[in-house]
Amino acid sequence: MSVDDNPTARGAAMAREKLAQAKADAAKRGQLPRREPRRRAGGARRESGDPQLFGRAIADLLADRGWERSAAVGAVFGRWADIVGPDLASHTKPESFEDGEVLIAADSTAWATQVRLLARTLVRRLNEELGTGTVTKVKVRGPQNAPRSTGGLRVTGSRGPGDTYG
């Protein structure tokens, strides 16, 4: 069987030809390949142009920019319902994280009170997710600009029941 009849032999011959052509082009440019294999230092070392796993690239980017904690806090905010449970999550929302303090908005004063009662548990649970000592305090904000009830018995200029919206 000749090279022309065998597709595998034909492909190998074509690969050898292309390799020889690439080496000749490199020699013209003065970039001959090294004769000895490259020695690697202990452990895996990545050259700047080498491909890497996507997750590792993201982790390196976050570390280089100092965004690790912000990304972790964002992940916790995104998984709020998984962390605190669906009942509490349906009535509360984390709004910010600064200097170890998490601000949580509640949709009613009753839920704001509930969160205040659960503050220690929330700090412990959030520190399990983010690392010990990351969260030191939970601050709760009740509803803002709640709708006023309309009815026949209202005093003109009153602000409504102060203990309900605040």
Side-chain angles (χ1 to χ4, degrees), residues 13-92:
M14 191 182 323
R16 277 191 296 275
E17 182 182 316
K18 292 295 182 184
L19 179 60
Q21 183 180 357
K23 284 182 179 180
D25 291 345
K28 286 179 189 174
R29 291 190 309 264
Q31 299 174 343
L32 286 175
R34 302 176 99 176
R35 294 284 178 215
E36 71 279 351
R38 290 185 182 208
R39 294 180 187 213
R40 296 186 116 186
R45 185 178 172 131
R46 186 182 73 81
E47 296 294 325
S48 63
D50 290 345
Q52 60 179 326
L53 296 174
F54 183 71
R56 182 69 198 168
I58 294 297
D60 288 347
L61 175 69
L62 293 175
D64 290 346
R65 306 276 186 189
W67 295 340
E68 291 167 314
R69 179 169 284 179
S70 298
V73 169
V76 166
F77 283 14
R79 296 183 306 112
W80 184 247
D82 297 334
I83 294 169
V84 300
D87 291 337
L88 188 60
S90 65
H91 296 283
T92 61

Side-chain angles (χ1 to χ4, degrees), residues 146-162 165:
R148 294 184 182 176
S149 60
T150 57
L153 303 174
R154 277 192 56 88
V155 176
T156 305
S158 76
R159 302 186 76 195
Y165 305 112

